[in-house]
Amino acid sequence: MSPYADLNNRLGALLTLTSAPVAVTFRETAPSGDVDPVAPAPAGCCFWAPAREQRLDTIPADHANCSVGSYTHGLLPLAEAAAGADTAALLASGWVGEADLVGAPVLPFAPASITYEPLAEATSPDVVLLRLTASAVMTLAGAIPELKLVPKPQCVIVPLAYSGEVAVSPGCAVSRTRTSLPDDEMTCAVPAANLHSFIDRLTASSVADRAVSEFAAADMAANFSG
């Protein structure tokens, strides 16, 4: 059994998750020849949803349809990413500016492969991805006051988490379109190395939320019930 199976279950209970957490592992070597090739995808973020149910071993070429995502994941240098037709479309629309690309968080190395898989089956992940409701984000914000909110592009939450920060994104217009992310969900990235302390802090936040919620319910019943 994966050493992360119990942590997976605890995360699900604390945040009332309806989607399984996804583990992201960066590797210095390409996957062996006996792994199943992944289906073509518009962007790396499109691997997040299917990885809730199956392991996907990807290589840089599998991310190549999104220049910005390839850049934030260390797979392309900025000059090459900026020259992409898709990046040109984003800049021309005014959705992002050149300064946004230059200042975007980026993975500090170029992985030879990136594995996406259910957290419950992972062995040594670098980042954990969670899909959260507004209620779960409330508990998360109580647990992590330093929580980083990232508007766009959504994919930068991955290098941020790799660097040690907990980051949440409401999604960006590009990623939401490509992944069909439900309107009532957001995505969070957590450093896998800090998962135990992260769960401890979530537990404390959840207990506090429950206490004040019970107080509010009792107060309403006693003083405002008709």
Side-chain angles (χ1 to χ4, degrees):
M1 178 181 293
S2 164
Y4 289 89
D6 179 61
L7 298 178
N8 175 83
N9 295 337
R10 292 173 66 188
L11 282 172
L14 287 166
L15 295 170
T16 320
L17 300 180
T18 58
S19 298
V22 169
V24 183
T25 306
F26 300 103
R27 304 183 188 280
E28 297 180 355
T29 58
S32 60
D34 58 354
V35 300
D36 295 328
V38 301
C45 57
C46 295
F47 298 125
W48 299 355
R52 293 175 294 174
E53 300 178 357
Q54 62 177 317
R55 173 171 169 154
L56 302 172
D57 291 297
T58 70
I59 58 175
D62 296 321
H63 295 250
N65 290 318
C66 179
S67 298
V68 171
S70 292
Y71 169 59
T72 62
H73 283 55
L75 304 173
L76 279 184
L78 177 58
E80 190 172 342
D86 53 345
T87 305
L90 301 182
L91 292 169
S93 70
W95 190 73
V96 292
E98 292 183 8
D100 298 312
L101 295 180
V102 172
V106 178
L107 204 69
F109 65 100
S113 66
I114 305 175
T115 296
Y116 303 89
E117 62 188 324
L119 176 62
E121 300 173 10
T123 55
S124 56
D126 295 301
V127 172
V128 177
L129 296 171
L130 308 169
R131 282 171 58 161
L132 305 178
T133 62
S135 178
V137 173
M138 174 192 71
T139 300
L140 176 66
I144 313 292
E146 68 274 22
L147 178 67
K148 194 173 188 70
L149 178 65
V150 179
K152 58 185 176 182
Q154 178 177 230
C155 55
V156 300
I157 63 175
V158 174
L160 282 171
Y162 183 85
S163 71
E165 296 191 67
V166 178
V168 65
S169 173
C172 64
V174 176
S175 183
R176 279 192 171 274
T177 299
R178 286 172 165 167
T179 64
S180 299
L181 184 67
D183 289 343
D184 60 350
E185 290 187 349
M186 301 172 68
T187 306
C188 174
V190 181
N194 300 342
L195 206 49
H196 283 90
S197 62
F198 176 72
I199 288 176
D200 288 343
R201 295 172 73 175
L202 278 179
T203 300
S205 179
S206 181
V207 169
D209 282 347
R210 185 164 57 250
V212 298
S213 180
E214 289 172 354
F215 165 80
D219 178 63
M220 290 177 63
N223 300 303
F224 302 96
S225 57

